[in-house]
Amino acid sequence: AVALPYVLYQVWAFVAPGLYAHERRLVVPLVFASTVLFFVGVAFCYFLVFGVVFDFVYKIAPKSISVAPDIENYLNFVITMFLAFGVTFEVPIAVLILVRMGAVTIEQLTNIRPYFIVGSFVIAAIVTPPDVLSQLLLAVPMCVLYEVGIIAARVFGKSRQSGDDGEKLPEAGGER
């Protein structure tokens, strides 16, 4: 979290020379939104998911056993969950970027919705601990955020043939 501004600056310094002017104008709002969404995902995990998962672990543990994970396992678990939820909350940004780039259309995104739902549950099953509750707490927000991404793409997505001001974009190999 502390290094994020520096990392984003390095990525920007690498990518910026290859972008059109209208593409450069989009980067600041997207970087801001993706940073906020990442931290919202981490906060969601910390305040909601950890409470539910740790409560579940304490309830299923026999009364004669004290639940005391070692610090390495606990830290690995927490970091993995923070990253999983942070990246999950980036789904709307990814959907919006794919639509704006022209890689997919909104119709294609709505057609693959069932596959995305199954894929989100598979990813959640792999990333989360082996309990249904934490899997649901990752997969359901991922599906909801996919729908939010589709809505954002309908509102902010433009076709690849027109710029932000309606001008036709230069063909490949044109001036940048």
Side-chain angles (χ1 to χ4, degrees):
V2 172
L4 189 61
Y6 180 74
V7 171
L8 291 176
Y9 170 76
Q10 291 298 320
V11 170
W12 173 251
F14 178 75
V15 172
L19 297 176
Y20 293 110
H22 70 279
E23 292 171 334
R24 281 189 220 126
R25 286 192 301 263
L26 291 174
V27 170
V28 173
L30 285 177
V31 167
F32 178 74
S34 64
T35 304
V36 168
L37 284 173
F38 184 85
F39 286 124
V40 167
V42 169
F44 178 82
C45 180
Y46 182 77
F47 291 111
L48 180 72
V49 176
F50 283 165
V52 171
V53 169
F54 291 139
D55 186 49
F56 176 75
V57 168
Y58 286 117
K59 284 183 180 176
I60 66 165
K63 298 294 179 202
S64 61
I65 296 177
S66 173
V67 178
D70 67 16
I71 191 68
E72 182 181 352
N73 288 338
Y74 175 76
L75 205 54
N76 285 338
F77 170 73
V78 167
I79 289 172
T80 301
M81 293 294 282
F82 279 165
L83 285 174
F85 278 87
V87 170
T88 295
F89 275 65
E90 299 293 326
V91 169
I93 301 295
V95 169
L96 180 62
I97 288 172
L98 288 173
V99 170
R100 291 226 25 141
M101 286 178 20
V104 294
T105 64
I106 294 171
E107 292 76 29
Q108 289 171 325
L109 291 171
T110 55
N111 289 340
I112 65 166
R113 181 180 293 128
Y115 302 107
F116 184 86
I117 292 170
V118 170
S120 67
F121 275 91
V122 169
I123 290 170
I126 292 170
V127 174
T128 60
D131 67 292
V132 176
L133 195 55
S134 60
Q135 180 185 4
L136 284 172
L137 288 172
L138 181 63
V140 171
M142 194 182 310
C143 295
V144 170
L145 290 166
Y146 181 74
E147 295 301 323
V148 169
I150 291 174
I151 292 168
R154 287 185 200 277
V155 174
F156 299 110
K158 304 240 186 211
S159 75
R160 196 166 188 215
Q161 295 302 317
S162 63
D164 289 335
D165 53 3
E167 294 177 13
K168 185 149 176 80
L169 295 179
E171 294 298 318
E175 274 190 56
R176 292 187 182 249

